[in-house]
Amino acid sequence: MPTLPGVHLKDEIAKISQRLKELGHGRHLDRAVWDKVELARHPKRPYTLDYIEHMFAGFIELRGDRCYGDDPAIVGGLAAYQGRTLMVIGHQKGRDIASRTERNFGMPRPEGYRKAQRLMLLADKFGIPVLTLIDTPGAHPGIAAEERGQGGAIATTLMCMAKLSVPTVAVIIGEGGSGGALALALSDRVMMLENSVYSVITPEACASILWKDAGEAQLAAQTLRMSSDDLSQLEVVDEVLPEPRGGAHRDHVAAAKVIKDALEEKLRELETISPRLRKKERFEKFRRMGVWKENGLTLF
Amino acid sequence: MPTLPGVHLKDEIAKISQRLKELGHGRHLDRAVWDKVELARHPKRPYTLDYIEHMFAGFIELRGDRCYGDDPAIVGGLAAYQGRTLMVIGHQKGRDIASRTERNFGMPRPEGYRKAQRLMLLADKFGIPVLTLIDTPGAHPGIAAEERGQGGAIATTLMCMAKLSVPTVAVIIGEGGSGGALALALSDRVMMLENSVYSVITPEACASILWKDAGEAQLAAQTLRMSSDDLSQLEVVDEVLPEPRGGAHRDHVAAAKVIKDALEEKLRELETISPRLRKKERFEKFRRMGVWKENGLTLF
Amino acid sequence: MARKVSVDISRRGGNTQNGAQSCPGCKELLSPEELRRNSMICPHCGHHFRMTARQRIELLSDPDSWNEIAANLRSADPLEFFDLRPYPDRIEEAEYDTGLSEAMLTGTAKMNKMDVVLAAMDFSFMGGSMGSVVGERFWRAAEEAIETRFPLVVVCASGGARMQEGILSLLQMAKTTCAVELMGEIPVPFITVLTHPTTGGVLASFATLADVIIAEPAAFLSFTGPRIIEQTIKEKLPEGFGLAESHVRHGQVDLIVPRLELKERLVQILGMLEGGVACALQPLWEEEARRSGRGGAFAQAFDRIKALAHSPRRPPQG
Amino acid sequence: MARKVSVDISRRGGNTQNGAQSCPGCKELLSPEELRRNSMICPHCGHHFRMTARQRIELLSDPDSWNEIAANLRSADPLEFFDLRPYPDRIEEAEYDTGLSEAMLTGTAKMNKMDVVLAAMDFSFMGGSMGSVVGERFWRAAEEAIETRFPLVVVCASGGARMQEGILSLLQMAKTTCAVELMGEIPVPFITVLTHPTTGGVLASFATLADVIIAEPAAFLSFTGPRIIEQTIKEKLPEGFGLAESHVRHGQVDLIVPRLELKERLVQILGMLEGGVACALQPLWEEEARRSGRGGAFAQAFDRIKALAHSPRRPPQG
Ligand SMILES: [Zn+2]
Ligand SMILES: [Zn+2]
């Protein structure tokens, strides 16, 4: 950037910023966004195992990463689905204090992601489509988790999903928190329940970093555009699934039916395509993610 | 087995056994076998990193299983070999007290085997042949190692070697102890240094289990047929490599030259074969291992 | 913290004179008939006693559906192994005591009408140790699974390698692993059931290479024997060490299934894996075969195993 | 046991008025010129200071061999993101302060005469955060590597995702992973150099997916930021936590290479990986291509990436 003599750009920028900050704080706070954040975290919201119970005639949970441990924050297994089979993998939160602790509030450790990879590869071997259900505040922040390679575990899970030759469908059912959520969402089709959220960072953490004030979480949530409507507009999700009136927690069975119907439709679409083309389209989909300017033009 | 009235087979068997036991103990103890066990364990015998130093112009050690840890009891990395590349992986013992402890006496933990797998797959990706050097009393016996899946780690390493499409050559350079050794030896060609040993169990452990007397280790060593000559006769190894006079420890450089020359010859053989055929021959080789009777005939 | 206990992998309980034994779980005295009637499960505390291979086959296969394969294989004595007794002597005794031809039986069977290849190991035959016959039977079972495309179920129970066959017993780990790899190329579903105890070379080869690994409650699973570990660490093992429940927590086992639910659960899982194969891979293979003109992945793996099955073996001796 | 320390990932050392700074390693006062001359390494204790992307390119590429690619990409503001300041404002300031167009520069270069695709991140551009431009530049670099079959070297330094691009920044993790997967199909050698600090979404995507992962001495590597972990565990982190040396012990990093040896070591490793590709895979591909009549794995992956490169994108807006 060229600088002109006598013009102290940084000072100018600082002045403008201050003005804009004042303007920014005056923005209309849309209560609807925060309502969705609260619904997404509602303690009675159906979790992965609830959906599995209501969607499938049978489910065999398969455990462990064959290496270090079994992480209860991610569950997975074989589900009987209209006379055939699905591999279902999802984050799992606990409902009461004991199970919340056991499930670590749905925050996976590396062994959870490695279990997910193992199950995906098992599904791939037998041509079983993979359904992932996403509901986590994020990957577990902790010393031992870092030492066991939290970053690498998420990255290799993404890589694993990129490689799969079976159809893959992801549904964000609650909190889609950061890399910990994305790890299970590199899918051919990504859907979102109406009152779920999906974001690069929790609104609280974003507020404390950018606004230097965790109390601005509502503003952060709105600014991050983490609601299903926003994400649909940004073309990050393929479809928003309507919830039962008042939210999924009001009627678990009806919420499960919504997902099941959508899943069926997506699988029908995906199975008409050859594995090779499906993978190509998956790559094209994620290759298009992002917005930038090139030679002055904004590209999506 | 049909039993005849009045004949108590078990008693008969016991009587015959006692007679045979007396005979057995009178067997000639061949001192040469135990000499080889002692040479194989000689504290000055060259180890994997010694061979690497003397065989290759360059070596880049690559560490870690990308999951839990880096096991110093198995080393591996890229080696510059006649203008091209080899992946070399081997057990590593320590020479002094500190390094013996650090290397855990060459007894790998699961992360050692998983590192070996990772490096093998890296080699396979880039068409780099894999050389394994085997020298371990066995896999580490310990609580944490079992909890992290010692059995599964060995099994999946065997599986990994079975799958590889690159040429693979294994050389037993010292102690080939049990599953901990075999894990790195499911190779297209398996060679053995003259004074190395390869066995399902250490002679000491065998003696204490079968003879109820660890002092019978020399007899056990002989009975187990763990010397290179025996294994060559049993067609478990493809070739026995002669050591410098007095043993490999007398001349590390000459011992390395022996391995290098043999390696070159084997790689030349293997690289004329297509990957598909090479893998087929590998499977045939290990499928033939074992001796049994079928319809009364002894089959090899 | 944890109580230290000495692990007894034989876990027989005490025998009394009339053949009754006290349950290691609850110390109740149980007669052999009572146990047999109840699938070798203690009716008082649910402790799972060891089953013989024949009991296992009876438990898992539909009546009259068992057809043994590779029945004529018998151990040879390639090393002329002689410790306190000659190896053939030990084999003969094991045959006499168990009425079995080796430590693993292999065959085809139906499980709730589903065709499977089934193998069952027997700890009472020389500690369920794996020698050349166990390895070759495993290979034949895998071959059968590949040729028929029936899934393979193996019930494991083993103290490890058959020392009397020396290095050849060790190499059965490599051999059985190659067989698993060939099954994976089809793919044929492969499930192992790890029962008390599964250790050593069996645990470190096919037992842990299955698509789904099931364990029976409280089965002791360990690569290294408990006594060797105790010698190494110079103290008793903590309570619960090596048990199936611990292995599930440590990520090594998919699920624990009580014996009385085992057959149903196996059928369910196999059906699900087959469901995947049947619905999704079939058209994929056909498409690939059509496009490459080479018969597809399935045909290739099939050709390979056929070729191996008929590969030249050295002329029979002895 | 371990001393507790607060981790400062910016690790600047104290600045004094004449621009000199005290070394965090040995507290010696160092002038900017002194540091620059010495590749930003403390001449007293060897502490590696952060380098800018341009310094990194200068360090690693032969003189005059750098050709930037995707230079014309610039961040847009798809979310119209506004916290205390608007996002475009922050971008403009970063451009001004660093003289860079974004947090990653990509190009081709020669390293000891070897052709490579090279990318360097710059922590001083908005904390090296990954937004759409970083993701797209990574994609273009991978594309270039696949088309030219030059290996790809990426020097990482990142505080994580670019929050101001919201979910789109998160998705760069998926996008860059897809690019790595495509490179793997050729295969093109891919090496990352993790420098201080590499965290968040970059660590959890391409940075840890390389064939060989190198780290600089004492580089701080962590998925979660140190402050968040400290808040969670409610105490200071143990000394050495998250440092490259610890990650090597924990099996996450292949090797640590001091900066002054980096170029030579990279060339050596790349040469070795290429040695494999050149000697062994080439005939394999040709054989496969000949047999299948479909052009082989390489041709297929190449076709794929070409197709993606020219796949329809929505018409330019704005
Ligand atoms: Zn009982
Ligand atoms: Zn210093």
Side-chain angles (χ1 to χ4, degrees):
Chain A
M1 203 165 72
T3 54
L4 298 172
V7 179
H8 299 285
L9 258 184
K10 283 190 88 167
D11 294 350
E12 284 302 302
I13 288 170
K15 261 186 255 163
I16 296 166
S17 297
Q18 187 51 38
R19 234 175 305 140
L20 285 169
K21 177 180 168 179
E22 289 154 20
L23 281 168
H25 264 282
R27 263 194 208 183
H28 173 64
L29 203 60
D30 183 359
R31 176 69 206 176
V33 173
W34 194 249
D35 286 346
K36 293 209 168 185
V37 173
E38 292 191 328
L39 278 174
R41 297 168 174 178
H42 195 286
K44 293 190 172 159
R45 197 165 172 84
Y47 299 147
T48 291
L49 287 175
D50 300 311
Y51 284 112
I52 286 173
E53 184 190 333
H54 295 304
M55 284 171 71
F56 304 111
F59 177 68
I60 307 262
E61 187 178 348
L62 302 176
R63 294 175 61 184
D65 67 349
R66 292 280 187 280
C67 176
Y68 180 83
D70 177 63
D71 185 348
I74 289 185
V75 295
L78 296 163
Y81 171 72
Q82 335 255 47
R84 42 172 305 193
T85 313
L86 273 186
M87 181 65 79
V88 186
I89 303 167
H91 302 93
Q92 180 64 39
K93 296 177 174 177
R95 191 79 64 192
D96 54 28
I97 291 177
S99 67
R100 273 184 207 165
T101 307
E102 190 211 340
R103 303 287 184 183
N104 197 31
F105 306 91
M107 296 186 296
R109 296 179 165 90
E111 45 276 19
Y113 293 108
R114 295 193 179 111
K115 168 166 71 177
Q117 292 177 44
R118 184 177 76 82
L119 298 184
M120 287 173 192
L121 293 177
L122 179 63
D124 210 46
K125 177 175 176 183
F126 290 102
I128 296 169
V130 175
L131 168 68
T132 45
L133 299 175
I134 286 131
D135 188 16
T136 178
H140 177 75
I143 291 175
E146 292 293 338
E147 288 178 342
R148 292 199 299 276
Q150 189 70 284
I154 291 172
T156 48
T157 308
L158 287 167
M159 185 76 130
C160 183
M161 293 203 81
K163 276 181 203 283
L164 293 180
S165 58
V166 290
T168 55
V169 175
V171 184
I172 298 153
I173 57 172
E175 286 183 278
S178 186
L182 175 69
L184 299 185
L186 202 161
S187 307
D188 295 321
R189 297 289 184 275
V190 182
M191 300 185 284
M192 231 177 136
L193 281 181
E194 187 183 349
N195 297 315
S196 63
V197 293
Y198 190 16
S199 172
V200 65
I201 187 169
T202 60
E204 289 81 0
C206 182
S208 74
I209 295 171
L210 293 185
W211 278 266
K212 322 282 178 205
D213 179 1
E216 294 285 20
Q218 300 196 21
L219 183 57
Q222 186 174 329
T223 311
L224 283 166
R225 301 186 60 186
M226 58 200 289
S227 76
S228 54
D229 285 348
D230 286 322
L231 291 161
S232 178
Q233 271 173 36
L234 289 166
E235 297 190 30
V236 163
V237 298
D238 299 296
E239 192 173 333
V240 175
L241 305 179
E243 296 186 17
R245 181 189 297 268
H249 61 285
R250 298 281 182 90
D251 189 343
H252 289 199
V253 175
K257 174 111 179 35
V258 169
I259 294 186
K260 193 173 177 181
D261 290 347
L263 171 68
E264 203 174 314
E265 188 197 311
K266 298 304 171 200
L267 281 182
R268 244 199 324 264
E269 275 172 41
L270 291 168
E271 293 196 328
T272 59
I273 315 175
S274 79
R276 189 179 299 263
L277 185 60
R278 206 157 51 213
K279 199 167 157 189
K280 181 169 180 285
E281 288 183 357
R282 189 187 306 149
F283 277 62
E284 282 171 356
K285 171 194 184 82
F286 287 96
R287 188 255 195 277
R288 278 194 306 265
M289 295 290 171
V291 178
W292 62 89
K293 291 184 280 191
E294 185 157 9
N295 301 320
L297 298 174
T298 300
L299 298 178
F300 292 82
Chain B
M1 203 164 72
T3 55
L4 299 172
V7 179
H8 299 288
L9 259 182
K10 285 187 89 169
D11 294 351
E12 283 303 303
I13 289 170
K15 260 185 261 165
I16 297 165
S17 298
Q18 186 52 35
R19 235 176 304 142
L20 286 168
K21 178 181 168 182
E22 288 152 21
L23 281 167
H25 263 283
R27 262 195 207 183
H28 173 64
L29 204 61
D30 183 0
R31 176 69 207 176
V33 173
W34 193 250
D35 285 348
K36 293 209 168 184
V37 173
E38 291 191 328
L39 278 174
R41 296 169 174 177
H42 195 287
K44 292 190 171 159
R45 197 166 172 84
Y47 298 146
T48 291
L49 288 175
D50 301 310
Y51 285 111
I52 287 172
E53 184 189 334
H54 296 304
M55 285 170 67
F56 306 110
F59 178 68
I60 308 261
E61 187 179 348
L62 303 176
R63 293 175 63 184
D65 67 348
R66 293 278 189 281
C67 177
Y68 179 82
D70 177 63
D71 185 350
I74 288 184
V75 296
L78 296 163
Y81 171 73
Q82 334 256 48
R84 42 173 304 193
T85 312
L86 273 187
M87 181 66 79
V88 187
I89 302 167
H91 302 94
Q92 180 64 39
K93 296 175 174 178
R95 191 80 63 194
D96 54 27
I97 292 177
S99 66
R100 273 184 208 164
T101 307
E102 189 210 340
R103 302 291 183 179
N104 197 31
F105 306 91
M107 298 185 296
R109 295 180 166 88
E111 44 277 19
Y113 294 108
R114 294 192 180 112
K115 168 167 69 176
Q117 292 176 43
R118 182 175 78 81
L119 297 184
M120 288 173 192
L121 294 176
L122 179 62
D124 209 47
K125 177 175 176 182
F126 289 104
I128 296 169
V130 174
L131 168 67
T132 46
L133 299 175
I134 286 131
D135 187 17
T136 178
H140 177 74
I143 292 174
E146 292 293 337
E147 288 177 344
R148 293 199 299 276
Q150 189 70 282
I154 291 173
T156 48
T157 308
L158 287 167
M159 185 77 131
C160 182
M161 292 203 82
K163 276 181 204 284
L164 293 179
S165 58
V166 290
T168 54
V169 175
V171 184
I172 297 153
I173 57 172
E175 287 183 278
S178 183
L182 174 70
L184 299 184
L186 201 163
S187 306
D188 294 322
R189 296 289 182 275
V190 181
M191 298 184 286
M192 231 178 137
L193 281 181
E194 187 185 347
N195 298 313
S196 64
V197 293
Y198 191 15
S199 172
V200 64
I201 186 168
T202 61
E204 289 82 0
C206 182
S208 74
I209 294 172
L210 292 185
W211 278 265
K212 323 283 179 203
D213 178 1
E216 294 283 21
Q218 299 197 21
L219 183 57
Q222 187 175 328
T223 310
L224 283 166
R225 301 186 60 186
M226 59 200 287
S227 76
S228 54
D229 285 348
D230 286 322
L231 292 161
S232 179
Q233 272 174 34
L234 290 166
E235 297 188 31
V236 164
V237 299
D238 299 295
E239 193 173 332
V240 175
L241 305 178
E243 296 187 16
R245 181 188 297 268
H249 62 284
R250 297 281 184 89
D251 189 342
H252 289 199
V253 175
K257 172 108 180 38
V258 169
I259 294 185
K260 194 174 177 181
D261 291 346
L263 171 69
E264 205 175 313
E265 188 197 312
K266 299 303 173 203
L267 281 182
R268 244 201 322 267
E269 274 173 41
L270 290 169
E271 293 197 328
T272 59
I273 315 173
S274 78
R276 190 179 298 263
L277 184 60
R278 208 158 48 215
K279 198 167 157 190
K280 181 169 180 285
E281 289 183 357
R282 189 188 306 149
F283 278 62
E284 282 169 356
K285 174 195 184 81
F286 287 96
R287 186 254 197 277
R288 277 194 306 268
M289 295 288 172
V291 177
W292 62 89
K293 290 185 280 189
E294 185 156 8
N295 300 320
L297 299 174
T298 301
L299 298 176
F300 293 81
Chain C
M1 302 213 307
R3 189 154 61 89
K4 306 286 182 180
V5 292
S6 190
V7 175
D8 171 18
I9 65 170
S10 75
R11 201 187 283 168
R12 285 171 200 262
N15 284 288
T16 61
Q17 59 203 62
N18 64 351
Q21 48 185 317
S22 71
C23 171
C26 67
K27 308 296 169 205
E28 286 283 337
L29 217 59
L30 305 168
S31 74
E33 296 71 37
E34 195 178 359
L35 268 176
R36 256 199 305 275
R37 266 202 319 276
N38 201 35
S39 300
M40 303 301 288
I41 302 168
C42 171
H44 307 288
C45 73
H47 175 80
H48 285 45
F49 285 79
R50 285 207 320 260
M51 287 185 108
T52 67
R54 293 213 186 281
Q55 286 173 331
R56 194 58 76 169
I57 289 162
E58 198 183 320
L59 177 81
L60 294 180
S61 49
D62 297 346
D64 297 320
S65 70
W66 170 254
N67 274 303
E68 193 173 348
I69 55 178
N72 290 331
L73 307 188
R74 293 290 181 286
S75 287
D77 183 18
L79 271 57
E80 298 178 349
F81 199 94
F82 190 112
D83 45 81
L84 298 184
R85 294 162 58 190
Y87 177 40
D89 199 17
R90 290 188 188 268
I91 290 281
E92 213 174 319
E93 188 188 29
E95 287 175 345
Y96 178 83
D97 285 352
T98 62
L100 297 176
S101 58
E102 251 293 344
M104 180 192 268
L105 298 184
T106 44
T108 56
K110 286 188 188 288
M111 289 172 62
N112 293 357
K113 296 184 185 151
M114 174 188 272
D115 285 306
V116 298
V117 181
L118 178 63
M121 299 188 77
D122 197 315
F123 193 78
S124 50
F125 192 105
M126 292 192 75
S129 56
M130 173 159 69
S132 298
V133 172
V134 169
E136 179 66 14
R137 281 194 176 158
F138 184 89
W139 186 283
R140 303 266 177 109
E143 210 170 66
E144 182 76 16
I146 290 169
E147 292 189 15
T148 58
R149 297 178 65 189
F150 300 163
L152 174 62
V153 174
V154 180
V155 183
C156 304
S158 176
R162 179 82 48 90
M163 274 179 286
Q164 290 84 355
E165 295 187 23
I167 193 74
L168 296 175
S169 69
L170 183 68
L171 282 156
Q172 303 312 307
M173 291 168 64
K175 178 172 178 171
T176 53
T177 298
C178 287
V180 175
E181 163 63 12
L182 282 169
M183 281 192 290
E185 292 188 10
I186 300 299
V188 175
F190 170 40
I191 301 185
T192 49
V193 182
L194 311 187
T195 73
H196 178 77
T198 299
T199 65
V202 166
L203 190 74
S205 61
F206 63 86
T208 46
L209 293 173
D211 297 310
V212 175
I213 301 176
I214 295 175
E216 282 204 327
F220 179 79
L221 317 171
S222 175
F223 173 62
T224 308
R227 252 156 284 146
I228 306 279
I229 299 179
E230 285 179 343
Q231 279 167 25
T232 309
I233 63 175
K234 294 182 180 61
E235 54 178 284
K236 295 238 178 263
L237 291 166
E239 192 176 15
F241 168 76
L243 298 194
E245 292 73 10
S246 154
H247 282 284
V248 169
R249 278 196 307 281
H250 287 102
Q252 309 298 334
V253 162
D254 279 296
L255 69 167
I256 292 176
V257 179
R259 191 172 288 166
L260 295 181
E261 298 167 22
L262 185 57
K263 183 175 180 181
E264 192 192 333
R265 198 53 70 91
L266 280 168
V267 169
Q268 207 178 356
I269 297 173
L270 290 174
M272 283 180 170
L273 292 177
E274 294 275 13
V277 172
C279 298
L281 273 191
Q282 191 92 48
L284 206 160
W285 292 333
E286 284 160 7
E287 180 197 0
E288 200 179 304
R290 208 173 48 243
R291 299 217 299 198
S292 71
R294 282 184 295 152
F298 170 72
Q300 282 165 33
F302 192 77
D303 287 350
R304 189 159 329 154
I305 192 105
K306 291 298 283 186
L308 290 184
H310 303 128
S311 69
R313 220 184 277 150
R314 278 176 292 156
Q317 303 177 0
Chain D
M1 303 209 310
R3 190 156 59 89
K4 306 287 182 180
V5 293
S6 190
V7 175
D8 172 19
I9 66 169
S10 74
R11 203 189 282 170
R12 285 170 199 265
N15 284 288
T16 61
Q17 61 204 62
N18 64 352
Q21 48 185 319
S22 70
C23 171
C26 67
K27 310 292 169 207
E28 285 283 336
L29 219 57
L30 306 168
S31 74
E33 296 73 34
E34 196 178 0
L35 267 176
R36 256 199 304 273
R37 265 202 319 277
N38 201 34
S39 300
M40 304 301 287
I41 301 169
C42 170
H44 307 287
C45 72
H47 176 81
H48 285 46
F49 285 80
R50 285 208 320 258
M51 287 184 108
T52 66
R54 293 210 186 282
Q55 287 172 329
R56 194 58 76 168
I57 290 161
E58 198 183 322
L59 177 80
L60 294 179
S61 50
D62 297 346
D64 298 322
S65 71
W66 170 255
N67 274 303
E68 192 172 348
I69 54 179
N72 290 331
L73 306 188
R74 293 291 183 284
S75 286
D77 183 17
L79 272 57
E80 298 176 350
F81 199 94
F82 191 112
D83 46 82
L84 298 183
R85 295 162 55 191
Y87 176 40
D89 199 16
R90 291 187 186 267
I91 289 282
E92 211 174 323
E93 188 188 29
E95 287 174 344
Y96 177 83
D97 286 349
T98 63
L100 296 176
S101 57
E102 250 294 341
M104 180 192 268
L105 298 184
T106 45
T108 56
K110 286 188 189 286
M111 290 172 63
N112 294 358
K113 299 185 184 147
M114 174 188 271
D115 285 306
V116 297
V117 181
L118 179 63
M121 301 189 74
D122 197 314
F123 193 78
S124 52
F125 192 105
M126 292 192 76
S129 57
M130 174 160 68
S132 299
V133 172
V134 169
E136 179 66 13
R137 282 194 176 160
F138 184 89
W139 185 282
R140 304 264 178 112
E143 209 169 66
E144 182 75 16
I146 290 169
E147 292 188 14
T148 59
R149 297 181 61 189
F150 300 163
L152 174 62
V153 174
V154 180
V155 183
C156 304
S158 176
R162 178 82 49 91
M163 273 179 288
Q164 291 84 356
E165 295 187 23
I167 193 73
L168 296 175
S169 69
L170 183 68
L171 282 156
Q172 302 313 306
M173 292 169 63
K175 177 172 178 171
T176 54
T177 297
C178 287
V180 175
E181 163 63 12
L182 282 169
M183 281 192 289
E185 293 187 10
I186 300 299
V188 174
F190 169 41
I191 301 184
T192 49
V193 181
L194 311 188
T195 73
H196 179 77
T198 300
T199 66
V202 166
L203 190 74
S205 61
F206 63 86
T208 46
L209 293 174
D211 296 311
V212 175
I213 302 176
I214 294 174
E216 282 204 327
F220 180 79
L221 318 172
S222 175
F223 173 62
T224 308
R227 251 156 285 147
I228 306 279
I229 299 179
E230 285 178 343
Q231 279 167 23
T232 309
I233 63 175
K234 295 184 178 62
E235 53 179 283
K236 294 238 178 263
L237 291 166
E239 191 177 14
F241 168 76
L243 297 194
E245 292 73 11
S246 154
H247 282 283
V248 169
R249 276 195 309 279
H250 286 103
Q252 310 297 334
V253 163
D254 280 296
L255 68 169
I256 292 177
V257 179
R259 191 172 288 166
L260 294 181
E261 300 167 22
L262 184 58
K263 184 175 179 180
E264 193 192 332
R265 199 54 70 91
L266 281 168
V267 169
Q268 209 178 356
I269 297 173
L270 290 174
M272 283 180 168
L273 293 177
E274 295 275 12
V277 172
C279 298
L281 273 192
Q282 192 90 49
L284 207 160
W285 292 333
E286 284 160 9
E287 181 198 359
E288 200 180 304
R290 208 174 47 245
R291 300 217 299 198
S292 72
R294 280 184 296 152
F298 170 72
Q300 283 165 33
F302 192 79
D303 287 351
R304 186 157 332 153
I305 193 102
K306 292 298 284 187
L308 290 184
H310 303 129
S311 68
R313 220 185 278 148
R314 278 175 291 156
Q317 304 176 358

